[in-house]
Amino acid sequence: MKFVQTFVLVVAVLVISAGGASAQSYDDAAGGYVKAGLALGWANANGVISNNPAVFLAPDVGTAVGFDIVAGRRVNAWLAFDGELFYVGGADVKTFPYLLQTGSATNMGVTGNVRGYPLGAFAPDLIPQWIQPYGTFGMGIGFAEIDNVPEATNTFGATNELQFLARFGMGVDVLISDHWGVYVDGNYYITNKEVITGIGTMVFGASYRF
């Protein structure tokens, strides 16, 4: 719930702040672009991260901070393809039943994505065209690491694991000028591993269109 509330608040702030961008439209969107933003991340940790089932059960992972970088091409008003690099780290890890024994968690990944703008395809005039919501699907490879947690070894793969990622996301581009914009998006990465089963991120930053 905290993730959803924060996402809605940031979207509202960006929309209000870009009120002068009304000249931009879906017709202006095609072409190459880059994006870079601040990322907040929350990893879902599941199960035991030690060979001893009486110790370090169900780790609790806090909020991580990092970055998200995207480069791609908008093909037309409703479709784009891009690649993404994200990193979120420094999250506190507390393991039950000994909550005072704290480590840190890091997650990073590279994904290839398809980004769709449904209003651009079906209802471009439903809202001002300088506000462009989108949905994202992607796949890629990720890496997760937990440091400084005693005995977090074999089950977690020597405190780290290589992951397959399936990305599901949604967000909004706010076109401020012919080239510059701001954006916010939320993503969830499903992994194929048993310890870090998923990673949620919220990103807000700036974009440049060529």
Side-chain angles (χ1 to χ4, degrees), residues 136-138 166-170 186-190:
T136 305
F137 172 75
R167 176 190 181 190
F168 300 88
M170 59 182 295
N187 304 281
Y188 192 78
Y189 304 82
I190 298 174

Side-chain angles (χ1 to χ4, degrees), residues 53-93:
V55 182
F56 307 126
L57 301 175
D60 176 56
V61 182
T63 301
V65 180
F67 62 85
D68 187 271
I69 299 173
V70 175
R73 183 171 183 82
R74 185 87 170 260
V75 178
N76 52 37
W78 56 271
L79 183 64
F81 298 93
D82 58 45
E84 175 206 35
L85 168 66
F86 76 90
Y87 169 91
V88 287
D92 288 338
V93 178

Side-chain angles (χ1 to χ4, degrees), residues 158-205:
T159 76
N160 60 74
E161 60 184 10
L162 191 66
Q163 307 161 328
F164 168 80
L165 301 176
R167 176 190 181 190
F168 300 88
M170 59 182 295
V172 60
D173 286 328
V174 180
L175 308 183
I176 295 176
S177 70
D178 290 344
H179 297 287
W180 290 99
V182 291
Y183 74 100
V184 59
D185 63 24
N187 304 281
Y188 192 78
Y189 304 82
I190 298 174
T191 82
N192 65 332
K193 298 298 183 178
E194 296 180 355
V195 178
I196 302 296
T197 58
I199 307 158
T201 64
M202 184 184 70
V203 183
F204 47 99

